[in-house]
Amino acid sequence: MKKAWKGILGLLMAMTFTVSAGRMVYAETVNENHEVPDGVTVNGMELGGLTVKAAEDKLQQYMDEVCGGSVTLTVSGEDVTFAYKDFDMHAADSTVVQDICQIGTKGNLIRRYKELSDVKNNKAEFTLKFEYDHNKLKKVISEKTEPYNKEAENASLVRHSGEFIITDDVTGVKVDTDATTAEVEKALGDGWDGSSQKLDAVVEETKAAHTSDELKQVTDLLGGYSTDYSSSSSNRIANIANGASLVDETVVYPGDTFSFLNHVTPFTAANGYYQATGYSGGRVVPSTGGGICQVSSTMYNAVLRAELEVVERSNHGLTVGYVPLGADATVAEGGVDFRFRNNLDAPVYIEAYTYGGQIYVNIYGHETRASNRSIEFTSVTDKTIKPGDDVITKDDTQPEGWQEVTQSAHDGYVASFYKKIYVDGSLQDTVWINTSYYSASPRYITVGT
């Protein structure tokens, strides 16, 4: 490693001869057989008595050993090593041997003798310094430690075969490149002996937002509900099963609001949905995702029994057969949503699945309600609205007298939904939940002309 180093003996004058007071003052020529004066050390190495060639070889070996060293950083218990040469470590002065050999070669005999005697008696100790590229050091540290940076991960919860399984949270780690670079430079600064260095990287830790300790609170069934879909078409059944799978295994933390649409949309074939019947504009029409409202309605009833806070709920335009009046919750992509907020002090876990022609939704959490307290829900019909006259559509491709009912008539209703609270079996309170308005729908008939 032969680079231009700063002269360690910069104060020594590099002259070959001059004239002073009428006397010739000269410097002895230094060649590779010239010996380094006794008492000279460089970085603790004795060079006195060695020829220039031998001293240069010894220093070169030392420089190679130093520059062949490395830095090892410990990141999260793992070691990351990179070489000094990766950031251009090199000696700062390559002419040290020549400079040292000038000792005792300048001036008259008395001056030269005095210089040599002083060095021998007092030990002339010189320091060979090293330099490196600070920007490259920072870049190497960034590149080498990048694989060890990781984002914080929340704990997770699933329920399989009746058992809760918790995956622990993970603390996020990010190496502070600037601070770590400063620590390495400090280790390679004053007092460095040229050896390889091992030190801890400076890291910033980020705790997970939600921990396994939080999820360990989820132990109890707070509320559950099921509805029947066994008479549905195969496509509608598939849509219900798909919707259930998209909300299953969801954790809602205290203060957070669950949006049904955010979990189940878009209603597309790519998202697992098929064409099935649904309501639109007071008519029963084919739609992609038909049947999804049975999932939201089943969840609505489970949420009511868990006594969580309902934020948004709308009834269907027409009545549905799988829940009582007032117990349904319709949804429409881009518009009507079903949302509830976890108003408890512990997380809640949603379990949703289909089996045997039924969809089940269960809400688990940490039970704090008194064991002698119970609730039930009732639907009261406030008003019945009869449908209007038949809506007739003529079809001139069919013979006179032919007719087909394309949609049956439906009564309309105004219904109120209530929660009744019992303590030790005795009714304590009746709480109004909602009043729902269902439109009447006439019969739709197509007749031949």
Side-chain angles (χ1 to χ4, degrees):
M1 184 174 296
K2 298 289 187 178
K3 292 188 177 180
W5 306 338
K6 296 179 181 178
I8 292 180
L9 301 180
L11 297 179
L12 295 178
M13 298 179 61
M15 62 175 66
T16 56
F17 71 90
T18 186
V19 177
S20 177
R23 300 191 305 274
M24 178 70 73
V25 180
Y26 60 92
E28 186 176 305
T29 302
V30 176
N31 56 48
E32 66 176 15
N33 295 319
H34 182 89
E35 291 187 357
V36 177
D38 289 337
V40 172
T41 64
V42 176
N43 289 33
M45 293 181 294
E46 292 282 353
L47 297 184
L50 296 179
T51 65
V52 170
K53 179 68 167 60
E56 287 180 339
D57 290 345
K58 188 170 184 177
L59 276 180
Q60 188 64 53
Q61 181 181 358
Y62 170 73
M63 289 185 291
D64 290 343
E65 290 175 356
V66 170
C67 295
S70 61
V71 175
T72 298
L73 297 175
T74 301
V75 186
S76 301
E78 297 188 40
D79 289 341
V80 183
T81 301
F82 52 94
Y84 288 153
K85 64 182 180 181
D86 290 341
F87 51 97
D88 292 348
M89 177 72 77
H90 61 275
D93 190 342
S94 61
T95 63
V96 63
V97 173
Q98 291 293 326
D99 290 339
I100 290 172
C101 288
Q102 295 295 329
I103 298 173
T105 65
K106 300 180 180 70
N108 56 36
L109 293 176
I110 296 175
R111 178 181 173 183
R112 286 188 285 163
Y113 175 80
K114 186 176 185 303
E115 284 186 359
L116 293 173
S117 179
D118 288 345
V119 168
K120 182 176 182 180
N121 294 329
N122 298 319
K123 298 292 184 184
E125 299 178 353
F126 299 96
T127 301
L128 180 63
K129 295 185 178 296
F130 289 82
E131 296 177 335
Y132 52 87
D133 189 316
H134 295 264
N135 291 331
K136 284 188 177 180
L137 171 60
K138 182 178 178 179
K139 182 180 179 181
V140 170
I141 290 174
S142 176
E143 291 175 348
K144 293 291 185 180
T145 60
E146 176 62 30
Y148 298 88
N149 294 333
K150 58 184 177 183
E151 298 291 333
E153 295 179 15
N154 290 331
S156 62
L157 174 68
V158 295
R159 190 171 188 269
H160 289 165
S161 303
E163 297 290 334
F164 288 111
I165 302 171
I166 296 175
T167 301
D168 287 337
D169 49 288
V170 176
T171 298
V173 174
K174 181 173 177 56
V175 175
D176 186 330
T177 303
D178 289 337
T180 301
T181 301
E183 287 298 309
V184 173
E185 291 181 338
K186 181 179 177 181
L188 299 178
D190 294 340
W192 175 48
D193 61 1
S195 63
S196 294
Q197 297 295 300
K198 183 175 182 179
L199 59 156
D200 292 330
V202 180
V203 299
E204 299 172 346
E205 292 188 347
T206 305
K207 297 295 184 181
H210 299 294
T211 67
S212 58
D213 287 340
E214 287 181 272
L215 296 180
K216 288 176 183 177
Q217 299 176 83
V218 179
T219 54
D220 310 303
L221 177 62
L222 303 181
Y225 199 74
S226 65
T227 58
D228 184 274
Y229 60 76
S230 56
S231 61
S232 296
S233 67
S234 59
N235 279 5
R236 189 175 186 277
I237 290 172
N239 289 338
I240 293 172
N242 185 53
S245 70
L246 293 174
V247 298
D248 185 36
E249 298 184 352
T250 299
V251 174
V252 185
Y253 287 93
D256 288 351
T257 297
F258 173 91
S259 165
F260 187 80
L261 286 182
N262 283 352
H263 284 76
V264 301
T265 54
F267 297 133
T268 61
N271 201 26
Y273 292 104
Y274 298 87
Q275 283 275 322
T277 56
Y279 289 154
S280 177
R283 298 291 305 274
V284 178
V285 296
S287 63
T288 303
I292 192 65
C293 290
Q294 186 163 350
V295 182
S296 57
S297 296
T298 307
M299 177 178 284
Y300 174 52
N301 284 271
V303 166
L304 290 176
R305 284 154 180 78
E307 296 187 270
L308 300 172
E309 178 188 344
V310 176
V311 176
E312 180 181 353
R313 171 264 171 190
S314 300
N315 60 270
H316 288 76
L318 303 176
T319 60
V320 295
Y322 44 79
V323 291
L325 297 176
D328 60 319
T330 188
V331 294
E333 186 172 4
V336 181
D337 197 1
F338 167 62
R339 297 186 297 139
F340 72 87
R341 190 176 76 89
N342 179 2
N343 55 331
L344 306 178
D345 294 329
V348 296
Y349 173 84
I350 300 171
E351 178 184 63
Y353 63 95
T354 56
Y355 179 76
Q358 300 270 326
I359 173 173
Y360 299 84
V361 178
N362 296 316
I363 309 291
Y364 291 90
H366 180 65
E367 183 62 85
T368 59
R369 295 170 292 186
S371 59
N372 64 337
R373 178 182 179 278
S374 61
I375 58 175
E376 69 175 18
F377 294 85
T378 59
S379 175
V380 177
T381 300
D382 301 318
K383 183 180 180 181
T384 300
I385 305 167
K386 291 300 180 180
D389 296 337
D390 292 347
V391 177
I392 299 175
T393 302
K394 296 180 179 180
D395 184 353
D396 59 9
T397 66
Q398 298 295 337
E400 187 175 354
W402 176 91
Q403 71 174 28
E404 179 184 17
V405 177
T406 56
Q407 181 175 308
S408 300
H410 295 274
D411 288 343
Y413 299 93
V414 178
S416 295
F417 202 54
Y418 297 93
K419 175 173 70 174
K420 293 185 175 182
I421 303 172
Y422 297 85
V423 176
D424 292 325
S426 177
L427 179 64
Q428 300 296 309
D429 195 10
T430 299
V431 180
W432 172 84
I433 300 300
N434 70 62
T435 296
S436 299
Y437 300 84
Y438 301 93
S439 300
S441 176
R443 187 174 62 159
Y444 286 81
I445 304 174
T446 301
V447 298
T449 60

